[in-house]
Amino acid sequence: MKKMILIIISAILLTGTCYADNDEIIDTTDIENAVPEYVDDALDNPSLDEAVDADGFICKLISFLKAKMQDTYKPALRRGVLVLIIALICSSIEVFSADSSPLYMKLCGCAAISIVCIGDMGSYISIGAETLKDISDFSNALLPALCTAGIICGTPAAAAAKYAASALFMNIFIESAENIILPMIYAYTALVVANSAFGGKVLDGMCNLFKWLCTSLMVVLTLAFTAYLSISSAVASGGDAVASKAAKTAISMVLPVIGGIISDAASTVVAGAETILNIAGVFGLIIVAAICITPFAVLAINYLVLKAASALSEAFNSGAASLISGIGNSFGMILAMVGSAGIMMFVSIISCIKAVGV
């Protein structure tokens, strides 16, 4: 009895509170330094400490989106009006001119619409390519930190599996976009112009083929990533749960009194790791959304304006309508490419910050 009382008193006197230093769990400086400069300016130099106030970040994101839309919609509307005027002029000349003029005017109209719509196509493709690079650079800083926090949370296999899947497929997607998708978008745009000028089933079939290849490749990569991440993390999570329970049971059995203290201390560290994991995850979601805002605002507005112009020009010039619609599809494919990369990052982050531990 005296020994038991002595053990209890010693445990009370020698037991203190265990704190987990979140700053030492992961290196938050690397994550903050990986934020692109224009996002830093738009969100007033965001930090992980501010990620707790998600509402404030969302308000800043909305303001950033409004500013980008205001800068974009006027040039896009101007482009849409110009192509409509060109289509109307070409249609009028074809109706009232001699029989030899329509082919000549068709080529002139095609050239004019192409100059208006795709004269700066390279800059829009550059926006998509730069956005992919920014997402890739930020993921190289964020994903290892989330993986480290996940390991400390007691899910080493699941964290490693998620990181491996995210890093692998992100690299595959970036390489595919730079070497396959973007060149195919260039080729598709050229084929659309040639098809509008000269026509023919071969050119029309090649346009449809290139469009299908681009969209299918993006869809396949996104679905493969989601399926692989889900399956690998589910299998790894089961092993982590068994290992975590076995470790806790072994500690409690081998060290009857101190084992509980160690277990509580470990739980405190895990709680700290889960906190920083969630904060870093929310911060990552906000930054990825901010990175994607610029191309979404620019490309989506141009895409919608060109599609609307195509629908309106259909009433008086079907040749111009197909050309405008095809160029709009090019904007749409660049937008889909950026969206696929953003979705992959969102899925990766959300998978990491969902309930961890046992």
Side-chain angles (χ1 to χ4, degrees), residues 92-172:
S92 300
I93 294 176
E94 287 179 7
V95 171
F96 297 106
S97 63
D99 294 338
S100 59
S101 298
L103 179 59
Y104 174 79
M105 289 310 303
K106 179 181 180 181
L107 293 176
C108 291
C110 178
I113 292 174
S114 300
I115 291 172
V116 171
C117 292
I118 64 177
D120 53 355
M121 176 66 76
S123 63
Y124 293 110
I125 291 181
S126 297
I127 290 174
E130 290 172 4
T131 302
L132 292 181
K133 182 179 181 300
D134 290 338
I135 292 175
S136 177
D137 292 342
F138 183 69
S139 69
N140 290 336
L142 178 66
L143 293 179
L146 296 181
C147 177
T148 301
I151 291 173
I152 298 173
C153 288
T155 57
K162 292 171 185 177
Y163 173 69
S166 301
L168 173 65
F169 277 89
M170 186 60 66
N171 289 334
I172 291 175

Side-chain angles (χ1 to χ4, degrees), residues 124 181 240 302:
Y124 293 110
I181 297 175
D240 286 333
N302 280 278

